[in-house]
Amino acid sequence: SGYGGGLVGTFTVGLIPNAFGLMLAPLGMALFHKAMVGGRGGFLLLAGLAFGLLALSHLVAAFFCAILLAAYPAVFFIRGEKIRPALEREAFIVLLALAVSAAWWVPLAINYGAHGYASTWLGQGFAQMFAALLSGDMIWNKAVTLLGFGGVAVGLFRRDFAGILLVLLAAVVFIPASGILSSALPTNELVSPSSYVRFQGILAILFPMLAALPVEAVAFPRRRHVHG
């Protein structure tokens, strides 16, 4: 696939670590969510382990972890909930994830000045990328794409935790996925600026999750949502 995942991107281009990160991302999100909303201590350990492995899988996956870590406290703030317990849990997860991935980021930080500017190719423009999104080419098919946009409306209207989080994540990931910031991403000294394609793979995971929101709203109309 040209969108940061799939068999072609994995085995022809050789993006096996990237594919591993894409597969681990939903599990990492689920463990992180469970840990952040008051799950048992074991979920804190599993979430830290998952985020550490995500950071090791691909640099863009590490940036997605950073986006998710920033988005979570923002959702607590939007919903008017106490943010301090969430920050304490998140701090533990971050420290564990840093310990797990230390073999990568410590040498990187020490030798950062040795990296040069990575080469790139001419990627898609914003219009082409958005057209691919609307056509369903990026997100399985048109039905999932349309349901995903419906999920944005449901998430904003219902204002449950998971809905707001998914909308916020998709909105933030959409910016680098569109290629708008490809020349300004901090990945430029480590990987090609065309790495925005990898963010499109993450967006392709988030949209089916958004698509589940309107389906759930119809199937369980009376279900109350506190934390997603």
Side-chain angles (χ1 to χ4, degrees), residues 99-204:
V100 171
S101 58
W104 165 66
W105 67 263
V106 171
L108 173 66
I110 295 174
N111 301 287
Y112 190 82
H115 290 278
Y117 192 88
S119 61
T120 185
W121 67 82
L122 183 62
Q124 292 178 314
F126 175 78
Q128 291 85 350
M129 195 286 300
F130 195 69
L133 178 62
L134 292 177
S135 68
D137 182 32
M138 185 186 301
I139 316 293
W140 296 357
N141 54 55
K142 289 183 178 180
V144 176
T145 299
L146 293 175
L147 284 172
F149 280 111
V152 172
V154 171
L156 293 175
F157 174 77
R158 201 168 57 179
R159 294 181 63 82
D160 64 276
F161 197 98
I164 296 176
L165 177 65
L166 287 174
V167 171
L168 189 59
L169 284 176
V172 174
V173 171
F174 182 83
I175 297 173
S178 67
I180 296 175
L181 300 178
S182 59
S183 61
L185 285 174
T187 56
N188 287 349
E189 295 182 357
L190 303 174
V191 295
S192 168
S194 53
S195 59
Y196 73 88
V197 174
R198 314 292 183 258
F199 284 102
Q200 293 177 2
I202 295 173
L203 193 64

Side-chain angles (χ1 to χ4, degrees), residues 205-222:
I205 290 177
L206 292 174
F207 249 73
M209 292 182 179
L210 282 167
L213 294 180
V215 174
E216 182 192 29
V218 173
F220 306 100
R222 297 183 180 180

Side-chain angles (χ1 to χ4, degrees), residues 1-16 18-19 197-198:
S1 170
Y3 302 112
L7 295 178
V8 174
T10 301
F11 297 107
T12 301
V13 184
L15 301 176
I16 296 177
N18 180 67
V197 174
R198 314 292 183 258

Side-chain angles (χ1 to χ4, degrees), residues 48-49 51-52 55 91-106:
L49 175 62
F51 271 31
F92 178 86
I93 293 171
V94 169
L95 289 175
L96 182 56
L98 288 174
V100 171
S101 58
W104 165 66
W105 67 263
V106 171

Side-chain angles (χ1 to χ4, degrees), residues 7-57:
L7 295 178
V8 174
T10 301
F11 297 107
T12 301
V13 184
L15 301 176
I16 296 177
N18 180 67
F20 175 76
L22 290 175
M23 290 187 293
L24 184 59
L27 176 61
M29 289 176 63
L31 291 172
F32 182 66
H33 176 70
K34 191 69 174 178
M36 291 293 287
V37 297
R40 295 180 179 177
F43 285 106
L44 290 170
L45 296 174
L46 290 174
L49 175 62
F51 271 31
L53 293 176
L54 266 173
L56 289 173
S57 68

